[in-house]
Amino acid sequence: MKNIEALAYKELLETFKTILKSNGLKFTAQREAILRTLYDHADHFTPENLYFLVKERYPQLNTGITTIYRTLNLLEENKLATSISFGTQGKKFELGNKPHHDHLICTKCGKIIEFEDTQIEHLQQKIAKKYNFELTDHLMQLYGICEECQQNQTKQREERVDI
Amino acid sequence: MKNIEALAYKELLETFKTILKSNGLKFTAQREAILRTLYDHADHFTPENLYFLVKERYPQLNTGITTIYRTLNLLEENKLATSISFGTQGKKFELGNKPHHDHLICTKCGKIIEFEDTQIEHLQQKIAKKYNFELTDHLMQLYGICEECQQNQTKQREERVDI
DNA sequence: CTGTGTGCAAACATTTTGCAAGCAG
DNA sequence: CTGCTTGCAAAATGTTTGCACACAG
């Protein structure tokens, strides 16, 4: 989905302010610090990750982890962020201003290759529509054995005469 | 169900016993009760759901929730079950004896809809080929907000005007 | 000024672990 | 008999809530 450009911070900030205003909420230094940190790192964060990053970057704000959680939930409710769950290990959040990307994962060596496929994205939208889902995110991971490991496997098989 | 028949219980049970034996583990009444209950309901369960169902059906076993967790993890490790995470709301498990399918997941209420799309499966093969991956498995989960929750959100927003 | 936002500590919900007693093999 | 398995209670983990003070609008 490369058609959509990543939103500039300024736009993002304006969107956020608008959302706050229209919900009777206030724009605070902590909320901006969190948004800014999310934006600059453009990554998947656990609330704890983000907590430490914000603490490091804006120590004078002394932002509590409670505020991190509250702000992340606020952002998610308003579709400025999305999250993916990992069971007991919690959630990871990311800003919702980026195109989707997926992963090919080698189960032997752990190598990860990112890819993008607009056809699949399109089909996903179609499926969501069919079930009247408002799609916010997706997780697609293809597991397999990478080229390199396939070759190593062959070697090992030759060496492993006795099994 | 559809095209591919679900595995018969007997086969499933044999597979389970084999796994137990080959890991030096024991076949117990509780473990069978859990497997059987999962099989008969063919649904997505939280550990708690399953706990009550097993309790209801096999009250004399007095199965603890600890055993439910331990058995579910055992099943998952051995690919007889799969799970989907929901952050604070925990995980949902399903038996892995059904034909391949993917999931649409509502991030508000946790509802899960199963779907199947051969076109996407085909495209995944194509991507794997492009990167010379030998594909063994994949995970595709579409996250979004289901029809019902979209309506509730709208309601809540309307109600929140006067608060 | 009003009422929202904040940090702290305590509460919560889910899952895991330590332990003594119970059973499968 | 041996040692895996169980249920219970307690711990661990990740997240939310109650409260009094702080601060945005």
Side-chain angles (χ1 to χ4, degrees):
Chain A
M1 227 173 237
K2 54 176 59 132
N3 20 2
I4 301 170
E5 272 300 304
L7 226 56
Y9 181 66
K10 203 176 154 185
E11 294 177 68
L12 188 65
L13 187 60
E14 282 315 308
T15 307
F16 188 39
K17 284 185 178 176
T18 305
I19 287 167
L20 290 173
K21 196 164 291 179
S22 72
N23 284 70
L25 305 178
K26 293 173 181 179
F27 180 68
T28 65
Q30 285 89 339
R31 283 177 175 161
E32 177 165 21
I34 291 167
L35 188 73
R36 181 82 224 186
T37 304
L38 272 170
Y39 180 82
D40 285 341
H41 285 81
D43 208 347
H44 291 84
F45 289 115
T46 61
E48 204 188 17
N49 284 162
L50 188 57
Y51 171 60
F52 287 118
L53 277 170
V54 170
K55 242 189 159 44
E56 186 181 322
R57 182 158 171 183
Y58 303 91
Q60 76 288 1
L61 289 180
N62 193 34
T63 309
I65 196 156
T66 311
T67 299
I68 302 285
Y69 277 104
R70 287 193 275 228
T71 303
L72 284 173
N73 288 333
L74 179 64
L75 289 171
E76 190 172 27
E77 279 164 26
N78 289 285
K79 303 179 205 307
L80 253 56
T82 53
S83 74
I84 294 176
S85 289
F86 291 89
T88 319
Q89 292 83 258
K91 283 181 178 181
K92 285 189 178 177
F93 290 81
E94 72 176 322
L95 257 190
N97 65 332
K98 290 183 299 179
H100 282 301
H101 52 273
D102 298 297
H103 300 109
L104 256 169
I105 301 167
C106 176
T107 51
K108 289 287 170 201
C109 70
K111 186 184 300 166
I112 295 179
I113 295 176
E114 290 190 354
F115 70 89
E116 211 188 327
D117 189 295
T118 49
Q119 272 188 81
I120 290 182
E121 306 270 327
H122 182 69
L123 288 168
Q124 288 174 339
Q125 292 290 347
K126 227 171 99 179
I127 288 161
K129 198 165 217 168
K130 175 173 167 187
Y131 294 100
N132 288 316
F133 255 64
E134 185 184 312
L135 213 56
T136 51
D137 197 8
H138 71 252
L139 177 69
M140 181 165 63
Q141 299 177 348
L142 307 186
Y143 298 98
I145 302 171
C146 71
E147 195 170 11
E148 198 181 333
C149 287
Q150 285 171 47
Q151 291 168 0
N152 291 341
Q153 270 193 321
T154 311
K155 269 188 222 150
Q156 280 165 23
R157 210 172 292 135
E158 283 161 4
E159 288 162 10
R160 208 196 303 148
V161 179
D162 45 297
I163 297 182
Chain B
M1 288 275 155
K2 32 187 80 162
N3 17 12
I4 303 168
E5 270 304 303
L7 222 59
Y9 181 65
K10 204 177 155 186
E11 295 177 67
L12 188 65
L13 187 59
E14 282 315 308
T15 307
F16 189 38
K17 284 186 177 176
T18 305
I19 286 167
L20 290 173
K21 196 165 291 180
S22 72
N23 283 70
L25 305 177
K26 294 172 180 179
F27 180 68
T28 65
Q30 285 89 338
R31 283 179 176 159
E32 178 165 21
I34 291 167
L35 188 72
R36 180 82 224 186
T37 303
L38 272 170
Y39 180 83
D40 286 342
H41 286 81
D43 208 347
H44 295 86
F45 289 115
T46 62
E48 204 187 17
N49 284 164
L50 189 56
Y51 171 62
F52 287 120
L53 277 170
V54 170
K55 243 188 159 42
E56 187 181 321
R57 183 158 171 185
Y58 303 90
Q60 76 287 0
L61 288 180
N62 193 35
T63 310
I65 196 154
T66 311
T67 299
I68 302 285
Y69 277 104
R70 286 192 275 227
T71 302
L72 284 173
N73 288 334
L74 179 63
L75 290 171
E76 190 173 28
E77 280 164 26
N78 289 284
K79 300 179 204 308
L80 254 56
T82 54
S83 75
I84 294 175
S85 290
F86 291 91
T88 319
Q89 290 84 258
K91 284 182 178 179
K92 286 189 179 178
F93 290 81
E94 73 175 322
L95 257 191
N97 65 329
K98 287 188 287 185
H100 177 75
H101 59 267
D102 296 296
H103 296 109
L104 255 169
I105 300 166
C106 177
T107 52
K108 288 287 170 201
C109 70
K111 186 184 299 164
I112 297 177
I113 295 175
E114 295 181 353
F115 69 90
E116 213 188 323
D117 190 297
T118 49
Q119 270 189 84
I120 289 182
E121 308 267 328
H122 181 69
L123 288 168
Q124 288 173 339
Q125 292 289 346
K126 228 171 95 179
I127 288 162
K129 198 166 217 168
K130 175 173 167 189
Y131 293 99
N132 287 317
F133 256 65
E134 186 185 312
L135 211 57
T136 51
D137 195 10
H138 73 254
L139 176 71
M140 181 165 64
Q141 298 177 351
L142 306 187
Y143 298 96
I145 301 171
C146 72
E147 196 169 8
E148 199 180 329
C149 287
Q150 285 172 46
Q151 291 168 359
N152 291 340
Q153 272 192 321
T154 311
K155 266 187 222 146
Q156 280 166 23
R157 211 170 295 134
E158 282 161 4
E159 286 163 11
R160 213 189 302 145
V161 175
D162 44 87
I163 298 176

